[in-house]
Amino acid sequence: MKKFIQFVKECAGELRKVTWPTRSDVLSSTKVVFISTIVVAVILGLLDWLFTKGLFLVF
C-alpha cells in the first residue's frame, strides 16, 4: 500500500509539470480536425463517385 501511495504522489507531481493547452488552443485544434475531416470526406466521396461512374462505363 505504501508503494501505491508513493506512486500516486509522484503521478500528481508529474501532472503539475504538464503544460496544459488553453481553451483557445483546444478550440483551434478542434476546428482544424473538423474541417480536415470534412475535406477528406468530400474528396473520398468524389473519388468513390468517379470510380463508380467509370466502372459503369466499362462494364
Side-chain angles (χ1 to χ4, degrees), residues 2-37:
K2 188 175 182 179
K3 286 185 179 185
F4 177 73
I5 293 171
Q6 182 66 26
F7 173 75
V8 171
K9 286 181 182 179
E10 289 177 8
C11 286
E14 290 297 321
L15 284 174
R16 281 192 280 280
K17 297 177 188 177
V18 173
T19 304
W20 297 99
T22 63
R23 180 177 175 87
S24 62
D25 289 340
V26 172
L27 288 175
S28 64
S29 296
T30 302
K31 288 176 189 174
V32 168
V33 170
F34 187 71
I35 291 170
S36 300
T37 302

Side-chain angles (χ1 to χ4, degrees), residues 27-55:
L27 288 175
S28 64
S29 296
T30 302
K31 288 176 189 174
V32 168
V33 170
F34 187 71
I35 291 170
S36 300
T37 302
I38 290 173
V39 169
V40 169
V42 167
I43 291 170
L44 289 176
L46 287 172
L47 286 173
D48 180 51
W49 181 77
L50 286 172
F51 287 137
T52 302
K53 291 293 181 185
L55 284 174

